[in-house]
Amino acid sequence: MNFDYNEEQQLLADSVRRFVQKDYGFEARKRIVASRDGCSAQVWSTFAEMGLLGIPFPAELGGFGGGAIDLMSAMEAIGEALVVEPFLATVGLGAQLVARGGSAAQKKAILPAVIEGRMKMAFAQTERGARYDLARVATSARRAGEVWVLEGDKRMVLGAPLADKLVVSARTSGKPADQQGISLFLVDREAAGVSLRPYVTLDETRAADVVLQAVEVGADALIGKEGEALALIEEVVDYATALLCAEALGAMKYANDATLEYLKTRKQFGVPIGTFQALQHRMVDMVIAAEQARSMACLACAKVDGETDARERKRLVSAAKVRIADACRHVSQESIQLHGGMGMTEEMKVSHTFRRLTMIGQQFGDAEHHLERFAALERG
Amino acid sequence: MDLNYSAEELAFRDEVRGWLAANLPEDLRRKIAEYEHLSKDDLLRWHRILAKQGWVAPSWPKEWGGTGWNVVERYIFEEECGYAGTPPLVPFGLMMCAPVLLRFGTEAQKKRFLPRIYDGDDFWCQGYSEPGSGSDLASLKTRAVRQGDRYVVSGQKIWTTLAHYADWIFCLVRTDPGTAKRQEGISFLLIDMKSPGITVRPLILMDGGHEVNEVFFEDVEVPVENLVHEEGKGWTVAKYLLGHERMNTGRIGASKRELAKLKEFAAAQVNHGRPMTDDVRFRDKLSRVEIELTALEITNLRFLDQLRRTGQPPGAEVSMLKIKGTEIQQALSELMMQAAGPLAQPFRPVDGGDGFEAFTAALAPRYCNMRKTTIYAGSNEIQRNIISKMTLGL
Ligand SMILES: Cc1cc2nc3c(=O)[nH]c(=O)nc-3n(C[C@H](O)[C@H](O)[C@H](O)COP(=O)(O)OP(=O)(O)OC[C@H]3O[C@@H](n4cnc5c(N)ncnc54)[C@H](O)[C@@H]3O)c2cc1C
């Protein structure tokens, strides 16, 4: 047993932490959020220079061959700074699908570009009415001679407005919700027939609805086997969920640190409000929630790296997400309440952390969704 | 024991309900239903519709425009408004400044201000909180120094709701910094927002909305006739207002409407190919809120019945209603957001916003906004302190 990060993991964590502390303060973040693209090209190239974009990809393509555990501490730093660049969308989802399911040619065409910071990606999966159900895909892809033709309407595609390439899930056979018949395609965001409805999300990142109208892609755009993509999608979404859990730890750490500091410095009735026992116990419960969340984030990252039994991996990632979602909700709500009116204002980072934690609680499935999946897999 | 309204009370409720259905303008109803921001004009339009009907200030004495309704009728009226989804009546003039003037004001003050409050000619805001004085209001520092026939006011208020719309502000100010008890040097002043030396700065809340402000006072001159009650007796005035019977604190009517909306909305959302309302985990959460709300409604009626029979103004009971009522409001807003799932994650459109689904995108900001309810009007922690002190003697 050893819960410490190893030396390489620690070095990476330190360099990411140093960078966000120096260049990704709350004011700097505000400027990025308010900018046209809502994303900083400079931050992205710094991520590339640090090697952050290559951590989970194969060494022969320029990566480090690392796992989720190797990214954990970096994700924490990203979470603490409320980084809005599409790291998870690119490294955790889009490029991950290519790395795990793509052909040698696809990997070669995409991964080095991602690792060097030249290409951003997004995963177009969710649809209206699908909620968090990964099998519920109605978008269609049909073969027309040499090409595939895609039709559909994707929702809440994280990072889509910034992405160069999208990975799109589409049905090549069967009915919506069938396990079989889902395929993955690489689609240029600029391809004819692809249109975006871009927006800023609750946590101030960029996302979009992606409408596909008679979008033609070549046979080489298919990732993996036709109709067999669901297992890969589940594996990669579990992986991204584990990273998201680690990110949540950072955001919770900020919320807890800021609240503790406030309890010590804010005075009412002539004393720091942290002297009121009613508040002390609340603060203690927030810290306990974060510790329990940390344990489950470790578990999730370890399982997505090492668990070969897909069913066990799914069950434990769901367990982690339940705990993380509950902790996000608890910590975020209490952090605002204990800040009083100040917590409600846009001027305070803690309110933005609240928004991020609220979003994380729901991303890739809320507590109820994962409770359901956990219980179903338990029953067998 | 009879848990039901009497036949007369039911008839009264139906009358109010029918009138609201016929007189609430459709555009205002829609704005409320879709969680849209209300303009000053929207608020005033509804105020004037009620004023014309004679229903804008039910609790005032009849000679000033009150309706003469008893406490139960007043409660029914307020809950019906909540249930119908009318714009809120801004409370600062009608329900705060006016009761104070009626109790402590001079005849001249009543004549000057009450009719204008009634007609919606003056928009009021409340200047109590300061940066250093929130829960501990008695520590407030805004100074008012008497110079002949005027006070000169300097200091800062914060969290002033709708100060950017207001014509007048009622303030607690410190007229004597030297008293042994902090509560004793405080006075209640009415200040014209157009007075030179007043600056209003917006504070944007985390949902992006502008409802509160900072208000700065730099040597603002206020005629002494705008002092309410005696100098140094402002705390008595403030306490009277806190104790002023506010039986709609639980917001039962509005929460019932939100609950009905939640059921309808959730039934239209699909999860695993079925309505969200078929999802056991979601439905249980929804049912719990509904049961909590049912309990609160009956608790509220019990307090009301007690008030009607004993004439005793409510004490710590109001704190209970505030705690439970706000927790329910927050839970409902959270479940709406949860029911929408990923569709609640878009926040604001970029580039024109064609096809942007505004209703589902309003649910997360609303959830954010509703966090305020357990903080303002005496935080829920302070309400618990009140109950533990006043009721339990701890
Ligand atoms: C949206 C909004 C609108 C508002 N509108 C107005 C307005 O129009 N006019 C106006 O005057 N004010 C207004 N307020 C101010 C409101 O009344 C204060 O925010 C409230 O009194 C809390 O004060 P505070 O924000 O300074 O928090 P603090 O008093 O600093 O409290 C911080 C935290 O400590 C807790 N706490 C404090 N003391 C104790 C204690 N003794 N025991 C246990 N816990 C304690 C609080 O509950 C809170 O959780 C508004 C506030 C908001 C958020």
Side-chain angles (χ1 to χ4, degrees):
Chain A
M1 200 183 319
N2 176 7
F3 281 96
D4 285 345
Y5 293 127
N6 67 26
E7 201 178 326
E8 280 177 353
Q9 292 161 350
Q10 198 57 54
L11 278 173
L12 176 73
D14 289 347
S15 62
V16 177
R17 184 153 288 130
R18 260 198 313 276
F19 168 68
V20 292
Q21 270 167 9
K22 191 161 88 42
D23 293 326
Y24 216 96
F26 185 44
E27 290 305 316
R29 177 186 185 270
K30 257 193 216 166
R31 281 193 296 276
I32 295 173
V33 166
S35 68
R36 187 175 57 90
D37 292 342
C39 168
S40 157
Q42 207 189 334
V43 168
W44 199 254
S45 58
T46 308
F47 281 176
E49 281 158 31
M50 280 191 238
L52 189 58
L53 302 177
I55 298 291
F57 300 116
E60 58 272 24
L61 292 168
F64 292 85
I69 299 248
D70 297 298
L71 273 173
M72 247 190 105
S73 65
M75 291 309 296
E76 281 186 58
I78 283 176
E80 194 172 342
L82 304 177
V83 168
V84 293
E85 280 67 22
F87 182 79
L88 196 65
T90 298
V91 172
L93 290 167
Q96 202 58 227
L97 289 161
V98 174
R100 291 173 190 239
S103 65
Q106 285 168 334
K107 288 184 204 174
K108 217 164 146 238
I110 290 188
L111 297 182
V114 166
I115 293 166
E116 289 159 26
R118 290 182 281 115
M119 186 188 286
K120 296 194 198 72
M121 298 189 69
F123 178 33
Q125 158 69 19
T126 305
E127 299 177 6
R128 196 178 210 350
R131 286 182 76 81
Y132 311 112
D133 185 351
L134 297 175
R136 204 158 279 271
V137 172
T139 295
S140 68
R142 77 192 149 71
R143 218 191 274 272
E146 291 298 291
V147 299
W148 292 95
V149 183
L150 276 58
E151 294 275 352
D153 190 351
K154 296 289 188 179
R155 298 298 169 116
M156 256 312 291
V157 182
L158 277 179
L162 306 162
D164 304 290
K165 277 201 191 295
L166 308 171
V167 178
V168 178
S169 60
R171 197 158 272 294
T172 40
S173 66
K175 303 185 298 299
D178 280 358
Q179 304 268 314
Q180 289 295 315
I182 300 169
S183 306
L184 290 171
F185 297 90
L186 276 165
V187 178
D188 272 1
R189 198 206 56 193
E190 309 260 292
V194 175
S195 55
L196 265 57
R197 291 190 292 263
Y199 36 76
V200 177
T201 58
L202 172 61
D203 60 350
E204 300 168 299
T205 60
R206 296 297 170 101
D209 296 341
V210 176
V211 181
L212 305 149
Q213 282 171 307
V215 176
E216 292 189 8
V217 292
D220 57 352
L222 178 71
I223 297 177
K225 274 212 194 103
E226 180 186 334
E228 312 252 318
L230 185 60
L232 173 64
I233 292 173
E234 287 177 340
E235 180 185 320
V236 167
V237 171
D238 277 354
Y239 173 82
T241 304
L243 293 187
L244 185 69
C245 288
E247 186 175 346
L249 301 181
M252 277 190 267
K253 178 176 185 307
Y254 178 79
N256 279 347
D257 288 354
T259 306
L260 180 58
E261 178 66 17
Y262 201 71
L263 291 184
K264 288 180 176 167
T265 49
R266 169 68 172 171
K267 283 196 178 146
Q268 288 290 275
F269 305 99
V271 293
I273 56 174
T275 56
F276 302 129
Q277 208 162 50
L279 302 190
Q280 290 169 354
H281 286 193
R282 304 266 290 270
M283 186 73 238
V284 169
D285 285 340
M286 291 162 75
V287 169
I288 294 174
E291 285 300 333
Q292 291 282 80
R294 174 171 299 279
S295 301
M296 292 309 265
C298 291
L299 179 70
C301 288
K303 289 295 161 185
V304 297
D305 282 350
E307 180 58 64
T308 49
D309 177 1
R311 179 191 165 92
E312 184 65 359
R313 182 203 73 222
K314 285 195 236 179
R315 199 173 74 89
L316 292 174
V317 168
S318 279
K321 187 65 208 299
V322 170
R323 189 79 283 285
I324 295 284
D326 285 351
C328 285
R329 172 174 182 272
H330 175 180
V331 166
S332 63
Q333 292 183 351
E334 291 287 73
S335 66
I336 300 304
Q337 183 67 24
L338 299 193
H339 272 83
M342 283 315 289
M344 289 295 302
T345 64
E346 210 179 47
E347 289 172 22
M348 298 286 282
K349 184 176 165 188
V350 74
S351 75
H352 298 259
T353 309
F354 174 90
R355 287 165 59 173
R356 178 84 194 107
L357 286 168
T358 301
M359 181 97 168
I360 291 178
Q362 304 202 350
Q363 258 171 327
F364 308 133
D366 57 17
E368 280 65 33
H369 170 83
H370 283 285
L371 210 49
E372 163 82 41
R373 193 171 80 148
F374 178 79
L377 291 167
E378 178 87 301
R379 279 197 304 271
Chain B
M1 195 182 301
D2 182 355
L3 271 65
N4 299 307
Y5 286 130
S6 68
E8 298 80 55
E9 285 160 353
L10 285 177
F12 175 76
R13 187 194 65 185
D14 291 344
E15 182 199 340
V16 169
R17 198 173 277 187
W19 186 85
L20 289 172
N23 290 280
L24 174 58
E26 176 52 26
D27 60 322
L28 294 181
R29 195 200 59 73
R30 189 195 56 78
K31 275 192 173 181
I32 293 279
E34 294 176 11
Y35 307 123
E36 274 179 34
H37 181 75
L38 293 180
S39 67
K40 181 176 179 178
D41 277 352
D42 292 333
L43 293 167
L44 282 177
R45 185 143 61 97
W46 180 241
H47 179 116
R48 288 182 179 134
I49 290 172
L50 282 179
K52 198 163 156 234
Q53 171 71 5
W55 287 358
V56 84
S59 67
W60 292 14
K62 267 192 139 167
E63 76 237 57
W64 292 105
T67 54
W69 295 336
N70 66 25
V71 286
V72 176
E73 288 162 336
R74 258 144 55 194
Y75 171 81
I76 290 174
F77 175 71
E78 281 164 359
E79 293 308 343
E80 283 302 315
C81 287
Y83 190 60
T86 69
L89 280 176
V90 176
F92 308 115
L94 288 167
M95 290 153 224
M96 295 181 164
C97 189
V100 160
L101 292 178
L102 285 161
R103 171 75 179 75
F104 299 101
T106 60
E107 269 319 292
Q109 286 172 334
K110 290 185 209 173
K111 284 215 179 84
R112 179 173 173 202
F113 292 109
L114 292 179
R116 296 184 59 82
I117 291 177
Y118 193 96
D119 293 333
D121 293 337
D122 290 336
F123 201 110
W124 282 80
C125 64
Q126 176 193 25
Y128 280 16
S129 308
E130 297 181 5
S133 309
S135 298
D136 180 18
L137 191 55
S139 67
L140 63 91
K141 292 202 184 68
T142 296
R143 267 294 262 142
V145 181
R146 174 106 188 226
Q147 286 181 4
D149 59 355
R150 65 198 57 185
Y151 288 101
V152 178
V153 178
S154 315
Q156 185 197 340
K157 296 293 176 181
I158 192 171
W159 311 122
T160 323
T161 300
L162 302 184
H164 52 303
Y165 292 168
D167 304 299
W168 284 83
I169 182 168
F170 59 89
C171 284
L172 289 176
V173 293
R174 191 161 297 283
T175 36
D176 183 354
T179 54
K181 278 193 73 190
R182 303 180 305 168
Q183 284 83 349
E184 278 162 11
I186 294 173
S187 302
F188 194 99
L189 274 190
L190 313 177
I191 305 177
D192 186 337
M193 288 294 280
K194 287 185 291 295
S195 317
I198 295 186
T199 316
V200 176
R201 189 179 87 91
L203 273 172
I204 304 303
L205 296 186
M206 64 165 135
D207 62 349
H210 175 198
E211 55 187 88
V212 297
N213 304 273
E214 292 177 289
V215 182
F216 298 89
F217 298 86
E218 238 179 294
D219 297 330
V220 176
E221 298 193 353
V222 181
V224 287
E225 69 246 32
N226 290 6
L227 172 73
V228 179
H229 202 26
E230 293 162 39
E231 188 177 297
K233 289 275 169 29
W235 196 252
T236 314
V237 176
K239 267 182 33 197
Y240 166 78
L241 201 50
L242 285 180
H244 192 75
E245 41 182 81
R246 290 224 299 273
M247 274 311 200
N248 69 329
T249 308
R251 310 251 166 157
I252 311 287
S255 286
K256 278 184 170 171
R257 171 171 50 86
E258 287 303 316
L259 178 73
K261 188 149 98 190
L262 170 61
K263 286 182 178 174
E264 193 188 330
F265 179 71
Q269 304 305 304
V270 192
N271 190 26
H272 300 302
R274 306 177 58 109
M276 272 301 278
T277 36
D278 283 2
D279 180 298
V280 186
R281 292 199 164 78
F282 183 82
R283 206 182 51 204
D284 282 358
K285 286 174 108 176
L286 196 154
S287 298
R288 278 193 188 281
V289 181
E290 178 164 6
I291 292 164
E292 195 75 34
L293 179 58
T294 305
L296 186 65
E297 179 170 28
I298 298 173
T299 303
N300 208 336
L301 292 175
R302 281 172 45 222
F303 292 165
L304 203 59
D305 182 44
Q306 191 185 325
L307 170 68
R308 173 169 52 176
R309 282 185 295 120
T310 64
Q312 288 293 314
E317 285 86 355
V318 176
S319 296
M320 254 181 248
L321 300 178
K322 158 81 192 347
I323 291 169
K324 280 291 142 192
T326 52
E327 287 176 358
I328 289 169
Q329 284 172 267
Q330 290 184 338
L332 287 166
S333 72
E334 191 170 355
L335 285 177
M336 276 301 270
M337 178 178 74
Q338 192 189 351
L343 300 184
Q345 293 167 359
F347 192 74
R348 65 180 161 78
V350 174
D351 298 349
D354 277 354
F356 185 76
E357 292 187 35
F359 179 73
T360 43
L363 301 178
R366 181 172 160 80
Y367 165 72
C368 293
N369 185 273
M370 293 311 277
R371 305 317 302 172
K372 73 185 177 190
T373 62
T374 47
I375 296 170
Y376 68 17
S379 77
N380 284 21
E381 288 75 27
I382 294 301
Q383 304 293 351
R384 286 186 167 88
N385 286 351
I386 291 172
I387 297 172
S388 84
K389 271 207 197 76
M390 313 257 290
T391 315
L392 308 179
L394 287 171

